Amino acid sequence: MAERKRLQRTRNIGIIAHIDAGKTTVTERILYYTGKSHKMGEVHDGEAVMDWMEQEQERGITITSAVTACLWRDHELHLIDTPGHVDFTIEVERSLRVLDGAIGVFCAVGGVEPQSETVWHQADKYRIPKIAFVNKMDRLGADFAGTVRQMREKLGARPVVLQLPLGIETEFAGVIDLVRMEAVHWDDRTLGVLYESSEIPSGYHDEARAGRERLLEALAEFDDGIMERYLSDLPLGPEHLLPVIRQATLALKAVPVLCGSALRNKGIQRLLDAIVDFLPGPLDVPPVVGYHPKTGDEETRKSSDSEPFAGLAFKIQMDQGRKLTYVRVYSGTVRTGSDVFNTNKGETEKVGRIFQMHANKRERRSEASAGEIVALVGLKRTTTGDTVCDPEYPILLERMEFFEPVISIAMEPRTRADEERTAQALEKLAEEDPTFRHHQDPDTGQTIVSGMGELHLEILVDRLLREYSVQVNVGKPQVVYRETITKAVEAEGMFDREIAGAHHYGRVELHLEPRARGKGNVFRDLVRDGSIGPAFMPAVEQGVMEGLESGVLAGYPVVDVEVAAIRGSFREQSASELAFKVAASTALQEGLRQGEPQLLEPIMAVEVIVPEEFTGEVINDLNMRKGKIEGIFTKRAVKIVRATVPLSHMFGYSTALRSASQGRATFTMQFSHYDSLLEKR
């Protein structure tokens, strides 16, 4: 019973949003009002608790997701503050993978911005219930109704408005609670710690009644009991409405919408109430599903301490030489000194220590139970996305999806003494960040590092210097291209050779044809005459898929190609897997050469928010960068310009945009698709 009560009072919640919507400020206020911290950290002062990295404090942005826990109304809230910048979207992805609920924070001025859409759809992918908090209601240009409308139009959400702003912009004074039909004011003298309820001011009666009607009509669709009381004009109080709002939220049928101003200390306590009232605990989500690594049978684990231990490692962090493995415990209990089985690696590891994390501060624990998020020390081989479980009851949980890097730079250690340390440091950084890759160019001897954007790589180079004391020279960023073919061809490959006294023979004919952009590669076995035995087809497929990793134009990966094995031949005594693998690879390379190969370049979706008087300069600059203008929209005193632009033409754009708009324009950029590299570009 005690365990069930604990799980009912646990919330694993992520805070997600576009950059600069106010996620970290919201988190800082939550920590202050729950008593977890005794001083409000401000992002603009570089003092935010959750932005603990030096790079975060200097830039005023969140780079890495930070985990903390606090108490509100006897509920334990595990919070993850995620980055809003597109370069660090993997931090959002891996956090949402292990969370039960999310708070979408929206800027009342910017509305639903591009990265808001990205993170919202990431949460949709994992079927995560959400509540929305419209922040910055005190800012000039705040538009609460417009933001709610954009949620409906851009996100496909069903927003259910629970609060209306009491005044907007400089007049913003509090909120109108439509569930309780009262006005809520926060006391500025106590930094918003004290707040009081009162009657709704007379000037807001009509607006509040209309909002209440819309709320009741929306809830009547979800619940027959509400419908009956609504049609019978019976009173509908919080005791009737709150359970229905919770049910609709958990069923992903509604998104409760609240508003406030985190920087002005207004609205946070009611947001905390909404987390407790509407977002799920571990018992409200379905049992986690996985597979037995040997039998392949489906396995489930309920959120219970009595079940066998199962957890997912969703984040690796190097901290003062120690490797911290962040784990969401889905079932069972893990204790200090116990053995856990890494199903992905097939190895058993020992848990040295267990920490409850508060940003970069640690609290020792002797054990962790179902529903908790903790950091384990001692798991040397475990990486992001690995399942750790009870060795007696193995289970393999679904792995995470990682994004492919789109930009690369060349890097060289400044001194010979730095060479070995550079390699070790890059290994540690790559272990922390699955979207960071590095390899050595065999021709130049340079180290090539790849990431999600200029800022991503800039931060990583900065960390090399500060955390690992490694000095490197950095070359100009290089775009990570792809290759494909443009026409269907057939090609043949043969391997006929004696190796170590044994003869190897295999011949393969392949049919190659291009696929639609973004459809990926596929291999098909179309051999119907027995000319390639079934025993050798896996070797043929392996030769093809490995060959697609390096194209014939410039060695970039090949994408969007369908390869089919159609014929072949073998000799009874000399047929071998090696021969068919090499023959398939040879045929593939020949087919790629004949298929009129072309380079594909990454195209970025760019959105620029610019004051009207600078719109012309911004559009001209995008056109000069070979951009394609998708649309221009007006929002109050600013224009929103949306375009697709080749990544190779976007280097240094932030500096150019500041110059063209006197520092008043902002932009966001995220990967859109790959497209053919035109000669004129």
Side-chain angles (χ1 to χ4, degrees):
M1 194 66 188
E3 176 206 324
R4 183 171 181 81
K5 188 175 181 181
R6 177 185 68 79
L7 289 168
Q8 285 174 336
R9 296 192 169 190
T10 299
R11 300 286 183 272
N12 291 308
I13 305 302
I15 301 184
I16 60 174
H18 184 87
I19 190 169
D20 210 27
K23 295 179 305 302
T24 302
T25 304
V26 168
T27 311
E28 294 297 320
R29 298 309 185 264
I30 286 175
L31 296 179
Y32 184 74
Y33 296 135
T34 57
K36 188 70 181 182
S37 59
H38 304 290
K39 177 177 179 288
M40 284 187 187
E42 301 293 3
V43 175
H44 53 265
D45 293 333
E47 294 179 354
V49 173
M50 302 298 275
D51 285 351
W52 55 271
M53 291 174 66
E54 290 178 2
Q55 293 88 346
E56 293 177 315
Q57 292 165 358
E58 289 171 1
R59 289 169 172 81
I61 62 171
T62 302
I63 292 169
T64 182
S65 53
V67 182
T68 190
C70 54
L71 291 172
W72 184 256
R73 282 173 38 189
D74 290 331
H75 285 65
E76 184 170 319
L77 313 183
H78 294 261
L79 288 173
I80 299 185
D81 176 28
T82 66
H85 197 287
V86 65
D87 283 18
F88 310 107
T89 192
I90 184 61
E91 294 287 338
V92 184
E93 180 81 15
R94 60 184 175 186
S95 298
L96 289 173
R97 172 67 178 81
V98 298
L99 292 171
D100 300 328
I103 305 164
V105 179
F106 298 92
C107 170
V109 181
V112 177
E113 297 168 285
Q115 189 64 4
S116 302
E117 293 184 63
T118 301
V119 297
W120 193 271
H121 294 318
Q122 283 175 292
D124 283 342
K125 181 171 69 176
Y126 293 118
R127 298 189 58 76
I128 291 178
K130 298 170 284 291
I131 57 179
F133 182 71
V134 182
N135 192 26
K136 302 190 180 184
M137 288 306 310
D138 59 313
R139 287 270 300 275
L140 194 66
D143 183 1
F144 178 74
T147 302
V148 174
R149 185 173 60 252
Q150 287 182 36
M151 287 177 60
R152 196 176 288 112
E153 294 169 355
K154 292 186 176 182
L155 304 177
R158 290 196 65 182
V160 175
V161 176
L162 307 186
Q163 295 176 352
L164 294 174
L166 199 57
I168 59 168
E169 299 181 343
T170 55
E171 303 297 315
F172 180 68
V175 303
I176 298 169
D177 186 331
L178 298 177
V179 174
R180 299 169 181 83
M181 284 304 279
E182 63 186 17
V184 187
H185 297 265
W186 277 263
D187 184 357
D188 291 334
R189 293 168 299 179
T190 61
L191 296 176
V193 172
L194 298 179
Y195 60 102
E196 60 180 15
S197 304
S198 62
E199 288 190 9
I200 297 170
S202 57
Y204 290 91
H205 280 176
D206 291 345
E207 189 182 346
R209 273 196 294 268
R212 170 81 169 184
E213 284 293 313
R214 288 192 295 271
L215 171 62
L216 296 180
E217 287 170 7
L219 295 181
E221 290 183 35
F222 305 132
D223 185 80
D224 292 340
I226 298 285
M227 172 77 79
E228 290 170 13
R229 296 186 72 88
Y230 178 58
L231 295 175
S232 305
D233 285 331
L234 292 172
L236 282 161
E239 68 278 11
H240 302 108
L241 301 184
L242 293 178
V244 177
I245 298 169
R246 177 177 179 80
Q247 290 165 15
T249 306
L250 298 187
L252 304 178
K253 292 180 178 177
V255 177
V257 181
L258 299 89
C259 61
S261 170
L263 191 63
R264 299 286 172 254
N265 312 314
K266 292 177 172 62
I268 300 301
Q269 291 94 334
R270 288 298 172 97
L271 175 62
L272 281 162
D273 288 338
I275 293 172
V276 169
D277 290 336
F278 308 135
L279 288 180
L283 295 178
D284 297 310
V285 297
V288 67
V289 177
Y291 298 91
H292 193 286
K294 290 184 178 176
T295 65
D297 295 337
E298 186 176 286
E299 301 259 343
T300 59
R301 295 285 186 271
K302 296 176 184 175
S303 191
S304 168
D305 295 352
S306 58
E307 290 266 306
F309 166 64
L312 188 72
F314 68 96
K315 178 180 168 69
I316 305 296
Q317 180 183 324
M318 298 298 173
D319 184 32
Q320 299 173 359
R322 278 197 191 126
K323 177 181 171 182
L324 298 178
T325 305
Y326 286 76
V327 172
R328 162 70 192 263
V329 182
Y330 282 106
S331 64
T333 302
V334 59
R335 296 178 176 83
T336 301
S338 63
D339 289 335
V340 296
F341 181 64
N342 182 323
T343 318
N344 300 80
K345 302 290 191 301
E347 296 181 7
T348 300
E349 301 198 270
K350 187 175 288 293
V351 177
R353 291 180 182 176
I354 301 173
F355 291 122
Q356 181 73 61
M357 299 301 294
H358 176 50
N360 63 330
K361 297 181 175 60
R362 303 182 295 268
E363 176 188 327
R364 289 281 291 271
R365 298 270 301 271
S366 59
E367 64 178 37
S369 305
E372 294 189 302
I373 294 174
V374 292
L376 307 183
V377 177
L379 308 187
K380 295 182 175 62
R381 294 270 293 139
T382 301
T383 55
T384 302
D386 285 357
T387 302
V388 287
C389 59
D390 186 324
E392 299 295 317
Y393 301 92
I395 185 173
L396 181 63
L397 303 178
E398 181 188 355
R399 278 188 68 87
M400 300 180 192
E401 291 182 14
F402 298 134
F403 304 96
E404 289 297 317
V406 297
I407 185 171
S408 299
I409 57 174
M411 176 188 291
E412 290 178 340
R414 288 190 184 172
T415 66
R416 193 162 292 280
D418 281 330
E419 280 186 22
E420 190 174 335
R421 286 189 298 147
T422 301
Q424 293 172 351
L426 290 174
E427 283 296 328
K428 290 178 179 177
L429 290 174
E431 193 168 5
E432 283 188 354
D433 185 350
T435 60
F436 170 63
R437 312 280 170 81
H438 65 97
H439 70 276
Q440 194 160 35
D441 188 311
D443 298 324
T444 65
Q446 290 178 315
T447 298
I448 307 297
V449 297
S450 306
M452 300 303 293
E454 284 184 276
L455 180 61
H456 187 202
L457 295 180
E458 181 187 323
I459 297 292
L460 289 164
V461 170
D462 194 36
R463 290 185 62 192
L464 279 176
L465 177 61
R466 296 197 197 195
E467 295 175 30
Y468 300 100
S469 302
V470 172
Q471 300 266 4
V472 293
N473 294 320
V474 176
K476 185 184 174 187
Q478 297 174 336
V479 177
V480 179
Y481 294 94
R482 296 287 186 267
E483 297 184 23
T484 193
I485 59 173
T486 56
K487 74 170 187 177
V489 295
E490 290 187 5
E492 175 187 344
M494 185 172 70
F495 186 80
D496 186 2
R497 192 173 300 174
E498 189 172 301
I499 301 174
H503 199 90
H504 296 265
Y505 174 83
R507 188 178 68 84
V508 175
E509 290 182 43
L510 300 176
H511 175 83
L512 284 71
E513 64 179 67
R515 304 187 77 204
R517 202 63 64 239
K519 289 295 184 182
N521 296 325
V522 66
F523 174 80
R524 299 191 192 285
D525 174 9
L526 298 183
V527 177
R528 298 291 179 264
D529 59 4
S531 56
I532 300 178
F536 299 118
M537 193 54 69
V540 172
E541 182 176 0
Q542 187 180 3
V544 166
M545 300 314 287
E546 287 181 6
L548 289 172
E549 293 174 6
S550 180
V552 295
L553 289 176
Y556 292 111
V558 179
V559 297
D560 303 332
V561 175
E562 178 178 311
V563 183
I566 53 174
R567 283 179 295 276
S569 62
F570 66 96
R571 296 170 186 163
E572 203 68 53
Q573 303 301 319
S574 53
S576 69
E577 290 185 359
L578 170 65
F580 277 101
K581 179 181 175 182
V582 176
S585 180
T586 304
L588 177 76
Q589 296 299 309
E590 181 59 31
L592 292 177
R593 277 189 286 271
Q594 294 177 18
E596 296 181 2
Q598 69 172 193
L599 283 179
L600 302 176
E601 64 179 336
I603 307 296
M604 311 304 285
V606 179
E607 181 171 294
V608 185
I609 300 175
V610 56
E612 193 163 353
E613 60 265 36
F614 301 111
T615 307
E617 289 92 328
V618 166
I619 291 173
N620 287 338
D621 185 56
L622 289 172
N623 285 331
M624 289 174 61
R625 294 173 186 272
K626 311 300 181 188
K628 180 182 176 185
I629 305 299
E630 302 283 328
I632 303 170
F633 308 92
T634 301
K635 184 172 183 184
R636 293 182 179 260
V638 299
K639 294 280 189 183
I640 299 172
V641 181
R642 290 188 183 141
T644 52
V645 191
L647 175 61
S648 56
H649 291 272
M650 286 300 291
F651 295 132
Y653 183 63
S654 56
T655 305
L657 184 63
R658 279 197 298 269
S659 175
S661 65
Q662 298 177 10
R664 293 171 60 194
T666 60
F667 84 103
T668 56
M669 178 174 74
Q670 56 190 346
F671 174 74
S672 173
H673 62 280
Y674 277 96
D675 205 351
S676 57
L677 177 66
L678 302 178
E679 290 296 326
K680 57 189 175 189
R681 284 183 177 168

